[in-house]
Amino acid sequence: MKITIIAGARPNFIKIAPIIKAIENKQFEGETMTFRLVHTGQHYDKNLSDTFFEELNIPLPNANLDVKSGSQAEQTGAIMIAFEKELIHNPCDLVLVVGDVNSTMACAIVAKKMNIKVAHVEAGIRSGDMTMPEEINRIVTDSITDYFFTTSTSASDNLLKNGVSTSVIHFVGNVMIDTLYQNLERISPPNFWSDYDLKTGNYIILTLHRPSNVDEEHALIRLLEGIDQMVGDKKIIFPIHPRTKAILGEKDLNLKNILFVEPQGYLNFMYLIKNSFAVITDSGGISEETTVLGIPCFTMRTTTERPETIEIGTNTLVGITIENLEKEYKKFTAADIHLHKRGIPELWDGKASERIIDILLKN
Ligand code: UDP
């Protein structure tokens, strides 16, 4: 079986690493499955792309479609045009897409129209929020997928409700957590750890990049100032996403606790998360990692496609206003409520990628 694996953006790289490792292990055992890795070029900054290939030992892509930034339609269209050419020159039996970025949807459409089977890793998750580009990507991708690999029973249930047959839904667990377990012993502090006098539990990690939080400059500044004041004497490490940086520009902000740093490589970032007091974020992936690590996480969104991080894990959905965040943060610091609620969702055991490859080999 010849598989083309698609990766375009930071969270994709983290998800494909263990899948590739699982294929290589099978090859070592004598299986004839082969893969071709296609990087769409959706994320191209060194610290959003190359660093992850190096740190997670991902082989260099066989092709780079080099699409770079653009509007939703420009980027999706550019990926589709380039990927169609790629598939004509390098046919395969199956295209494997992960997550919910534009590359996921664009490449799934191209493959399906060329009568090539599509496997979607992280299928079935839904926020119900159609203003999120990711939600549209999820729905479109799942409407043309052949193999649905899910991270939770609730994701499988969403697919069943949409009429997908049980025979093609495979609840396998979470590949992002495979990567976490595979690298926990390799994580290390960033260079600024001692410069900023960071110690386990004396700082908070902040990440924000979703349009609902960052696209409106004044609202973003108000949010940052509010968070800065809310945390007392805790430092806040803010690895700033290029999208957020572009909106803030060179503004002189009046912040005493927030320390801006570059987007971090995986090994430094996971060290920072694992040793933090708490995390404030609008990322879905980070709320999964904090769930497994038992780190309190405040998600600055009104919906989540990962309900298990809230039901079982340490995640709290706080909406997008500073007032709500403050309310929930105060409750937490007053009562340590998260300490009573800690658990790891079913099958988030580091073996999801192996299960995926076993299922593909049997079909
Ligand atoms: N991440 C990282 N460095 C950072 C910020 C995030 O390595 O500075 C990792 C993080 O651990 C998670 C993934 O990137 O695994 C999430 O990426 P992002 O927030 O871009 O995507 P989302 O989860 O929102 O789709």
Side-chain angles (χ1 to χ4, degrees):
M1 177 187 255
K2 269 188 184 175
I3 304 180
T4 292
I5 299 174
I6 306 298
R10 176 171 64 188
N12 290 174
F13 310 137
I14 299 166
K15 289 168 197 170
I16 61 157
I19 298 175
I20 290 177
K21 211 159 282 164
I23 297 177
E24 287 171 342
N25 288 342
K26 288 290 174 193
Q27 289 173 335
F28 190 71
E29 289 167 15
E31 292 288 352
T32 51
M33 179 182 263
T34 59
F35 71 92
R36 181 173 167 82
L37 177 57
V38 175
H39 189 324
T40 63
Q42 196 183 326
H43 277 170
Y44 47 88
D45 286 1
K46 181 172 175 14
N47 52 19
L48 291 189
S49 175
D50 298 3
T51 306
F52 290 85
F53 279 78
E54 286 157 22
E55 289 190 354
L56 301 177
N57 295 316
I58 304 170
L60 285 180
N62 301 94
N64 193 323
L65 308 182
D66 213 16
V67 297
K68 301 232 161 67
S69 308
S71 69
Q72 291 288 322
E74 281 165 352
Q75 199 173 57
T76 306
I79 297 168
M80 287 180 69
I81 292 165
F83 186 54
E84 187 179 53
K85 293 195 179 100
E86 154 66 29
L87 267 189
I88 289 169
H89 289 113
N90 298 288
C92 63
D93 305 307
L94 176 91
V95 169
L96 183 144
V97 295
V98 297
D100 52 20
V101 299
N102 289 343
S103 304
T104 312
M105 176 184 75
C107 294
I109 295 173
V110 171
K112 196 68 187 168
K113 288 204 167 190
M114 292 174 72
N115 293 323
I116 296 171
K117 291 219 181 310
V118 174
H120 184 200
V121 174
E122 208 181 89
I125 61 172
R126 297 286 185 271
S127 68
D129 179 357
M130 291 298 280
T131 66
M132 287 178 78
E134 294 90 339
E135 183 74 353
I136 298 166
N137 294 340
R138 292 177 195 128
I139 291 171
V140 174
T141 305
D142 284 343
S143 70
I144 51 175
T145 287
D146 298 283
Y147 297 90
F148 297 83
F149 294 111
T150 66
T151 50
S152 63
T153 47
S154 70
S156 299
D157 288 346
N158 291 336
L159 294 167
L160 288 172
K161 272 185 231 145
N162 284 346
V164 178
S165 154
T166 39
S167 62
V168 288
I169 303 174
H170 308 281
F171 171 36
V172 289
N174 192 328
V175 291
M176 195 128 184
I177 302 307
D178 292 2
T179 298
L180 180 60
Y181 283 132
Q182 285 172 15
N183 290 284
L184 260 184
E185 302 210 326
R186 300 174 62 224
I187 61 175
S188 62
N191 291 336
F192 55 77
W193 180 263
S194 48
D195 297 346
Y196 290 160
D197 199 23
L198 301 183
K199 297 194 172 69
T200 299
N202 80 345
Y203 65 92
I204 287 168
I205 294 289
L206 172 65
T207 81
L208 294 171
H209 69 85
R210 296 236 121 70
S212 53
N213 286 318
V214 306
D215 273 7
E216 218 282 289
E217 184 193 312
H218 294 293
L220 173 60
I221 293 174
R222 194 170 162 265
L223 182 60
L224 290 178
E225 287 174 351
I227 293 174
D228 192 67
Q229 283 166 21
M230 178 186 84
V231 297
D233 60 356
K234 292 261 180 304
K235 295 181 183 70
I236 302 171
I237 305 298
F238 185 22
I240 187 163
H241 193 280
R243 183 191 170 86
T244 312
K245 194 173 182 176
I247 287 152
L248 285 180
E250 299 300 313
K251 297 246 157 29
D252 213 2
L253 303 176
N254 182 22
L255 303 168
K256 63 179 171 37
N257 293 310
I258 298 184
L259 298 160
F260 290 75
V261 297
E262 289 295 307
Q264 298 294 294
Y266 184 78
L267 299 175
N268 288 164
F269 189 71
M270 290 322 305
Y271 188 94
L272 285 166
I273 295 280
K274 186 166 187 287
N275 290 285
S276 65
F277 176 69
V279 173
I280 301 170
T281 187
D282 56 12
S283 158
I286 294 175
S287 70
E288 297 182 334
E289 292 159 340
T290 49
T291 287
V292 170
L293 294 171
I295 298 294
C297 179
F298 298 88
T299 295
M300 301 267 345
R301 287 179 44 194
T302 53
T303 58
T304 178
E305 58 290 326
R306 291 158 163 99
E308 62 282 0
T309 62
I310 292 175
E311 287 150 17
I312 302 171
T314 50
N315 190 19
T316 308
L317 201 59
V318 296
I320 56 171
T321 64
I322 183 65
E323 290 75 18
N324 269 349
L325 172 63
E326 261 169 9
K327 205 170 83 195
E328 293 299 330
Y329 184 79
K330 268 195 194 133
K331 264 201 251 168
F332 158 61
T333 46
D336 276 350
I337 51 168
H338 290 280
L339 295 180
H340 304 298
K341 189 166 68 96
R342 189 178 160 163
I344 297 183
E346 195 183 348
L347 295 190
W348 290 21
D349 58 0
K351 298 197 169 82
S353 306
E354 278 172 44
R355 292 186 191 105
I356 290 170
I357 300 308
D358 282 340
I359 290 164
L360 289 177
L361 280 168
K362 275 193 210 122
N363 282 270

